Amino acid sequence: MIELPESLIADSDTSCDSVGSDDQSRKSNTHYSPSNPPSTVSSPQSESPPSHTHASCRAHMLSEDTMINNCRAKTNIAIHKEMEAFLEALLGDQTKVGKTLFQKVLEDGVAYWSFIVNTTICCDLLLRMWVEKQDEDGVEVKVESVEEEELEATSLPNPHSTATKKLRLLLKEGIIVLRPLPFGQTSFTFRAQVDVGEVTKDAVVASVSALGRTTTSATRSTTTASITSAVTGVTSRRGIALKKLGASGEAAKGKKLFCKLADLFYERFKKEDVIDARRKADFIKNGIPNAPPLTEDEQKMIKESMGLVEDVAPRAKRIAGTVNESVEKFLHRDGEGGAAVGISVAKIDVAAIALFTELRLLDTYAKKIENKRAAIREVWNDLDGTRGLQYTRSLSLPGGFQDRLLETWITWDKRVEADGRWTYIIAICPLEKYNGTHHKVDGAEKMQVATARGVYIVKELTKHTCEWTLVQQFDLKISIHARLLDIAAKQNLGWANEVQEKFRRNGKEVDREGVTALFEVIKERRGVALMEDQGGVFERCEALLGEEGGEEGWKALESTSQEVKMWMKYFPPKKGERSVGTGRAVGVVDGSAEEVAAWVVDYCNNERMRISREEGNPARLELRELRREKERTFATVKKMPFLLDNREFVIRYLVKSEEGKAMVAFESVDDKVDYGASKRMTRSFIRGFWVIEDLPLRGGAKQCRTTMVQQMDAGGAIPTWVVDKKMPEALSIVQEAIDEFRQDDRIDAADREELSELMEERWGEEVYSEGEQLLIEKGKATIQAIMDSANLKVLQSGDLQVTLKLIHLEGDKLGTGIGETVIDAEMEELAAFEYMKSSREATKLHHEKGGVRKIVERINNHCQYYANTRDLKVPGFKLREWRNIVVWKKESADKMIVCYDDTNALDQEHLRDPSVVAASARIIWEYEKLPEVQGVPQTRVKFVARINIGGGVPTFVMNKLIRKAGKTLINMRKKFDKSTEIDASRRASITQKIGAKERVGGTEVTTQFEALVKEREGWERPSWIFGKADSKVRVMLAGGQAWGSTSLLVRGGLEEIAAFIWDFRSRANMEISKDVERTFEEAAGGDNKFKRIVKRRQKLDSTHGLHHRDRIFTSEMNLHLVGNDEIVILFTPHRGPLTEGRDLAVDALESVAIRLRNLGGGRTKLEFASELELGFGTSHRARQDFVKRRLEEVADLAIYFQRLVPLDASKAEDGRVIGYDLMWKVDSSKKRMQRFKEVAEKCTALRELCLRYSWMKVMLGAAVEGSLSRNRAVGTKLICISEKEAIRIGKNLVPSLMSEQLASAGVNEWKVQNRAVRELMEEQVWFEPMVVVIAKGIVKTAAWGLMARVIVGAVLSVTDLATDIVVLKQFWDGGEAQLAFRNAQLASLSASMGLLLIFVVLQNRKKGILRILRECLIVLMGGKAPVDAYRVAMGAEQEKDTQVDPMTEMTLSKCIELFAESIPGIIIQVNAIISTINSREDVTMTAYLSLAVSLLTTGFASATLSYDFDTDPQKRAFNPEFYGYVPDDGGKRALLFFMMILMSATQVLIKAILIVVLASIGSRFPLYYLLGDIVFYLLYKVAWRDFTYWVPFEGVLSLFVSGLIRVIIKFVVDFAAIMHFRHPYEVGGLYFSLNMFLPLLGLTFLLGMDLATGNLSESTLKLLTSLVMVLGASLIILLAAFLLLMSKEYRHTFFSFESGHKLTRRNFLEGDDFARCQVFGCHKFQWTPIRDKVEAWVKEGWATWEEEKPDWFTDQWKASIPEDMKPTKGKGDVYDGDKIAAKNEGDEALIVGGKEEQNGRRRSIVDIISGQKAVSSKVMPAGGIKKEINEEEFLREMNRRGSMSM
């Protein structure tokens, strides 16, 4: 909130104290610029209320003697909204319920307000409000409380129904004054006399505080107090000035609600960042231009401050370790006693004026939040009308030193440099140097004054970047070692890093801006003469080129790039120099000469600095002090391999340019460089020269020929030949320049457009030679021969829109392939695309497909030679080379051809390599123009290919390559595909027709739909469900019948989806269905009737390798509009003309019913059901697969529409569907990557996201690939991510998933560790749900996903079992002496197995005997742990009729193992070891090793349970007050996990030793101790009414299970100290913490009092005492470190008194729907007191949940709700929320179904939908529950209902 001037808080109430002194009143408003100060307004005087105001302001249920102290209260805040808009909001409705004010206008002038006070208390107000006065200066609103009985409304709203207590805030003589403030704000002043009372049912009111505590008012007297509350918006927001009060505490209670009301208005409209931005913009626009001129004192102060820079900068030394940082830092001190001067220089990615404004405005909201810890922080702007300001703040020093007070005078100036750029200066000095007003603050006398001086210099570099030099000196007046002060000075310079990071932008974008700015400078300096020494450098460097035009001596090198040619030459060395090679590289760059020169000179740009750091180079920096005209000097230190010194290069760069040409010379110099610390390195030598010459524009793009020569000597002991061998790598900088300026798409498009224009307009001018014409005629003849042949063999092309066939032409054993398709592009465009073999896209594709070399020689406009050499990537195969002549010819305006044939014309100029096998290829492309479709050009393309790869490869192998060659045609079709646009245009037309169609009643249509969608007996849920689709399948045993249904949400409009289905032959429908053929004909009345006959032909796959004939489905398709929000589409079998001529296909029958229901918000629910009759001879599996294909079509339809949703419209649910899309039908890494490429290209949201962030595609690709890698966190900002960092982030996903049990927890860890991911998920709400689905898919399909979890679970169990067996064998071999140990070990194993069997029986008791037997068998085989881990890893949800979810099941199973096996085993082993030591025998190493393994295994299991529960995102979202103690930092997480392992192992060992020591005192003492401890714990739980366990068992079983689980968990907690069990549902926080130390204290007492001397020897006791001391100290240290390392806000959970039932009720009363739904997962005892509220919540929200289907609204959750709490089905309603028969007057539709035999087979649903009559055996009673009835019941039901139509 804004701290307002006192002139705006004037109050006529004489009872108010003065809030500000004269000095304070001169404070400039912290949010007003000097150019626009606020106007002074005074508050109006209070006036009498109007005649309709009642004398009593209290509601009718309140009486005078029950009121608490009434008080006068006033609040004044700045609202971040314009006055008119705020007035409208003040007097209007705000019905959003939550942490805001609920407002509802009940009648004219009367409003009801309500808000939450705390967790269980709400407060309301019933007010009459009217505008008393309104003008341009402000508004006055009168406010008075009214009584409920005067309202016309019978009841008030109840927005906070879960609150258990309601207060009523009563206002008298209230007035609200609004005044306009700058920057779109409003001054809000609210004064009133305030009373508070509690609203109770029996009209008895208690005195209530704002915190909800009550006292009986009858036993205490009331007092009157007057309170003034002034609320500010700065740090505490509320500064309170009080008069002497008779009962100040009681008065404070009354005013808190009033202040809370004001805070709610502030929070509702809070836009602190917006106000800050407006203020900064105003300062730039008005404050800087209109600033007063500098005074003499200010000029002098600025001069002195700049003198500090000139004096200190040359002497300052670089701080060690900062040379490679993005901020350069230096430090200087004059002698030992002088104050240190710190200097930092940083490049900031923001405009200079913006950074200056950021530094100058010290009183913004953001600055106050940053410095909120300062006890004193005040800013006085415009000191005495000058530019200066006074800044006073306190500094808190560590170590008990007295706090310091800094009082500074700050002013500023701006200057224009010689290069025309602005420089801004902010000078700082002690306030004592200012000869003017000095403002004082309270509390300053308690602090010691410190001094500060310095200067900020902000220099403009480009329009959006600047260089910030910070020089500052602090004198804290403290006597400590100088090094400590230096450390403080260094830390203070870290502020520059924070500012740089705040404004950091994408490095490449900033680099481009820098190059552009430098290019402008180079361009301006054309022709400017070089200095004498600079000219000498150019002469020496240019000599490296050799004689002009001379190529003698240059030897070609093997280039690292296809786009750069490289050579090397040795020049004779000069005297004293070594003979080193000179390299030369030449390439063409898509930029102007001067732009490339600017890029070369920009040696320390962001990208190069990033690469240098990633390579591990110790330093790379510019020596700014050596910068001159046309010259820059840089230093870099290159990292060398082990045993070699690093190499230092100090290089001088010079540039000169002229029209069309630029040159850059660089050479080593001998200047010394300050690296901050002495480094062992060898100085190296380098010299080079760039010649960059402009080329003609190509498609509007600039190009230049770039030649670079370089000579380098690494020096030291490295031979020159080693350096020369690295020359190609050094010359690759030319390739970097090519990549930096690359414009491939633009240049290719320009070349293609030029060729297309030639083909389209000037093709008639082309003259063809005899050989060219012969080639064309040969190609045409080949195509004609193929088309006339009847011996074409159809091949599977893999693309439904491309046909591919094989033929053997006469006399040719080698097959010829022909492909045909229609492409959405102009004929000439396609021909040009194919013909342009020299295009950059074609070159890139050539190399991606194994291309080694390519030659393209142009002969004329229509003919070229094309040679390419490829690696077939087949082991043992040599390279293949094809040499072709390519000719195109346009036969007519609608037809053209491109022909390839073998040629030897290139052999003379380009000799063939004998090691390369010559191959042959004849290829023909024929293009024919077709009519446009929906405005999109169409071209039929035929592709003929005969390919011989040579080398003796058999012809049958080469014939199989035809399919591979056909991909060329498929890729061309996909590149130019515009199916989405074509289908969308057709769909829009159909949508309009649907909108105009008449709506009809839905009785008959709904009946037919229900008949088909009704579940078939014996249905099952398939395992291949898409996302959240509700799919069911039933395959009948006879007649080739099958049935399937599914329902899901589709992201599209109702009519649009219906139009998609109706557009039967659309490309999308063909691609989704994979139909061989689709045809239709309109029924009578045309398309407007929406009735047609459709036919689809589909292949029927065989599961036994047989060949099934195709199936033809002919149906009558009808579309019905049922009301405004529902459409039903029915397909019924039809026999007619379309079924004739079906060749070898078989008729099949299918009935389909589709219902679409509009859910609003662009969402539609689609319900689909299909019943098939495929005929006899089809297997069960074949029919199941056919139904699966049908249901997959529905999923693909949802995917199609999801892919159309744009980025800005995507929501969380969209993200989940995109994730399902990415993981749909994939089961390997390769398929995931293929699917990802498809989705990234077709999904609009993903495509737009990848365009917004260029690295997004590679990051997601690395994540989806799911390969194992090391986790390396990336802390770079989202907008600054490089492609390399993006790949690293993507690869981090897998190790994050491996470190967590749950995929969602793994994604959360991935988000926490990588800053860019965290920012992206905050920006795009759909991204995290998408990644969670992807993560689950990766875990399911990746081998490591199963292995990691199953192996960990198995290893833990097997290791524990193995150690037990080893120990058991030792006991067995020990004879009678070890008999007791052996029996105890066997008993623990048996108890563990028995308890696990009992648990699985209880968990699955409602699932049937087979399920129970299966689970018991898993237990008996020792596989419970890995099976549980597998289920959790697979993301399995809680099944219906089970008691707990898989995660809880795994936890309880592990607790049982710990309780009955692991912990008793440890006790037995410890007892055996101590007994052996006590008997003076040697303990074997195996015994110690076995004990260590058992301890670590127990500790690991305990830590894993706690860690998995706490890092589960759902649990953190549900109960953030408890879950979250594990920190987000990855390193801290690992350390905390390790600590929990050690703590648990230590606790187990201490407790085991305690049991053994007790046994040495008396054999029954351990039993007494354990039983007593458990009995006390159970009594404690009973006393707290928390005995009943939260798991929802019923009756006596509940008591038995509660007691058993309580005992097990208590036992496990005592020994293993599992952190999760401090939860209120389990042991509880305080009890858990006390239990941690009781065993240690008890053991220390026993050993210290020598109570165990009876059976233990003195040496054994000494050994145990020493061991206990070590263990105790370790436990205390570990626990202390744990508390320090964990998130501190969760430490209170270790001392909590809250019980489980209180937590359950609190979660329901305070939580959202997700938190409330958890109540049914708990025992009903815990929420019985609030049962009425729970029931009300269920009934109110059921219909909404049915529509929206939140994640928690599952069948299992529904089943957990008592039947009497579910909403009863009203007239016309249906349980699942579907609005069936909404216009059927509420009558229940008679559901048609049943079984009937006709001609020896079951009567098909086809007959029912076709209109044949049947008698139903099932009806839907009025109550809404289906039930079987007999004939008499049926007649009675019909009579009860009355007449109804079928």
Side-chain angles (χ1 to χ4, degrees), residues 1084-1372:
D1087 193 38
N1088 288 332
K1089 294 294 185 181
F1090 286 95
K1091 182 178 182 180
R1092 57 172 50 160
I1093 308 300
V1094 299
K1095 182 179 78 169
R1096 57 190 299 184
R1097 177 171 179 162
Q1098 281 195 321
K1099 290 189 174 295
L1100 177 62
D1101 298 326
S1102 171
T1103 58
H1104 304 290
L1106 303 176
H1107 178 70
H1108 284 306
R1109 288 188 290 175
D1110 291 353
R1111 260 50 178 182
I1112 291 181
F1113 301 90
T1114 307
S1115 308
E1116 179 181 302
M1117 182 181 182
N1118 290 273
L1119 185 148
H1120 306 276
L1121 274 69
V1122 183
N1124 294 323
D1125 295 328
E1126 188 173 315
I1127 294 178
V1128 175
I1129 302 174
L1130 300 174
F1131 292 75
T1132 55
H1134 177 84
R1135 291 175 176 84
L1138 284 180
T1139 62
E1140 297 176 357
R1142 62 179 182 274
D1143 55 336
L1144 297 178
V1146 175
D1147 273 336
L1149 301 178
E1150 180 181 26
S1151 295
V1152 176
I1154 302 171
R1155 179 165 65 184
L1156 307 173
R1157 296 176 52 248
N1158 182 20
L1159 301 181
R1163 300 181 308 146
T1164 300
K1165 182 177 181 180
L1166 187 153
E1167 297 169 89
F1168 172 93
S1170 170
E1171 186 167 60
L1172 299 157
E1173 292 189 16
L1174 300 177
F1176 293 96
T1178 56
S1179 66
H1180 183 281
R1181 179 68 179 274
R1183 282 176 278 157
Q1184 187 181 56
D1185 288 348
F1186 210 89
V1187 174
K1188 173 184 176 182
R1189 189 194 304 180
R1190 284 288 187 268
L1191 301 187
E1192 286 178 348
E1193 289 177 20
V1194 181
D1196 288 332
L1197 181 150
I1199 289 173
Y1200 176 85
F1201 279 95
Q1202 181 60 58
R1203 291 177 177 181
L1204 299 179
V1205 179
L1207 177 64
D1208 294 337
S1210 296
K1211 303 176 182 177
E1213 183 57 34
D1214 297 318
R1216 277 187 281 270
V1217 178
I1218 294 173
Y1220 296 139
D1221 186 5
L1222 286 164
M1223 295 294 107
W1224 184 228
K1225 304 176 186 177
V1226 298
D1227 54 8
S1228 65
S1229 175
K1230 183 178 179 180
K1231 289 185 177 180
R1232 282 200 304 271
M1233 291 305 298
Q1234 292 173 349
R1235 184 74 180 183
F1236 168 72
K1237 291 177 182 178
E1238 175 192 342
V1239 176
E1241 180 182 344
K1242 294 184 177 180
C1243 178
T1244 304
L1246 266 184
R1247 187 172 62 249
E1248 291 178 358
L1249 188 64
C1250 292
L1251 289 175
R1252 180 177 296 183
Y1253 302 108
S1254 58
W1255 45 265
M1256 183 60 62
K1257 195 168 185 178
V1258 296
M1259 187 198 80
L1260 285 175
V1264 170
E1265 185 180 11
S1267 58
L1268 292 172
S1269 63
R1270 187 165 61 92
N1271 197 348
R1272 295 177 294 174
V1274 178
T1276 309
K1277 289 169 66 174
L1278 175 64
I1279 60 174
C1280 304
I1281 288 292
S1282 66
E1283 187 169 309
K1284 190 171 183 179
E1285 289 172 322
I1287 294 173
R1288 186 186 303 166
I1289 291 173
K1291 290 184 176 181
N1292 284 345
L1293 178 60
V1294 168
S1296 296
L1297 294 177
M1298 293 185 67
S1299 66
E1300 301 285 352
Q1301 283 277 8
L1302 298 172
S1304 57
V1307 172
N1308 184 64
E1309 182 169 335
W1310 185 56
K1311 175 178 70 173
V1312 166
Q1313 292 182 353
N1314 301 280
R1315 176 179 176 180
V1317 175
R1318 186 165 62 251
E1319 293 177 358
L1320 181 63
M1321 289 179 176
E1322 292 172 356
E1323 176 188 297
Q1324 305 292 336
V1325 296
W1326 58 272
F1327 192 79
E1328 183 170 7
M1330 179 192 74
V1331 177
V1332 170
V1333 175
I1334 292 174
K1336 291 179 179 178
I1338 291 174
V1339 172
K1340 288 181 180 180
T1341 57
W1344 60 261
L1346 297 180
M1347 285 167 38
R1349 279 139 182 88
V1350 175
I1351 288 179
V1352 167
V1355 165
L1356 287 176
S1357 278
V1358 172
T1359 302
D1360 198 17
L1361 183 61
T1363 55
D1364 289 342
I1365 292 174
V1366 170
V1367 174
L1368 186 62
K1369 184 179 183 304
Q1370 290 180 350
F1371 293 157
W1372 199 278

Side-chain angles (χ1 to χ4, degrees), residues 44 111 219 325 370 413 520 618 642 701 821 927 950 958 1214 1276 1422 1483 1490 1497 1707 1793:
T219 60
E325 288 185 7
E370 291 173 7
D413 191 17
E520 294 294 339
F642 181 62
T821 189
Y927 306 92
M958 288 188 283
D1214 297 318
T1276 309
V1483 181
S1490 175
T1497 301
N1707 285 338

Side-chain angles (χ1 to χ4, degrees), residues 67-109:
M67 296 301 300
I68 69 168
N69 306 321
N70 64 71
C71 60
R72 290 285 300 173
K74 184 184 76 173
T75 178
N76 183 263
I77 58 177
I79 302 295
H80 300 163
K81 200 170 187 67
E82 292 78 2
M83 185 176 70
E84 293 78 8
F86 177 62
L87 177 63
E88 183 179 350
L90 183 70
L91 302 177
D93 289 345
Q94 167 65 23
T95 56
K96 182 180 179 181
V97 178
K99 295 181 179 180
T100 186
L101 178 67
F102 174 89
Q103 297 173 238
K104 182 69 176 177
V105 177
L106 302 179
E107 54 189 62
D108 187 25

Side-chain angles (χ1 to χ4, degrees), residues 74 210 262 344 604 760 867 1052 1353 1525 1653 1656 1694-1695 1803 1805 1837:
K74 184 184 76 173
S344 66
C604 286
E760 186 174 4
Y1525 67 87
T1653 55
L1656 297 178
F1694 286 84
F1695 310 101
R1803 184 170 179 271
I1805 196 69
E1837 181 69 22

